Amino acid sequence: MIYLAAVCHNIKSNTLEATWVNEVLDENSNPNIYERVKCRNYSVEQKDEFLADCGADGQKYTDLAGW
């Protein structure tokens, strides 16, 4: 399963960086490691793309960035 793991706000450029990870299970279906599968930077002009990629969780981050 892929999870939104982190969102960072660069206050100098007013961009958001979102990172997603994939949970990798061991042979017994227990969580083993998390692999980064996607990392993307978004500008204010890409707000709609950010919200589409992050789902309902994205709104709080755009509010934080003042978008």
Side-chain angles (χ1 to χ4, degrees), residues 38-61:
K38 181 178 177 182
C39 187
R40 180 167 177 207
N41 287 304
Y42 300 85
S43 66
V44 67
E45 293 83 13
Q46 296 169 310
K47 177 182 176 180
D48 292 337
E49 292 175 57
F50 176 80
L51 291 172
D53 288 347
C54 295
D57 291 334
Q59 187 62 53
K60 62 186 168 190
Y61 298 109

Side-chain angles (χ1 to χ4, degrees), residues 14-44:
N14 196 25
T15 58
L16 294 172
E17 178 183 273
T19 302
W20 289 265
V21 294
N22 182 39
E23 183 179 47
V24 178
L25 305 177
D26 66 14
E27 62 277 353
N28 297 316
S29 296
N30 296 314
N32 189 20
I33 62 170
Y34 293 91
E35 297 177 323
R36 185 173 71 170
V37 292
K38 181 178 177 182
C39 187
R40 180 167 177 207
N41 287 304
Y42 300 85
S43 66
V44 67

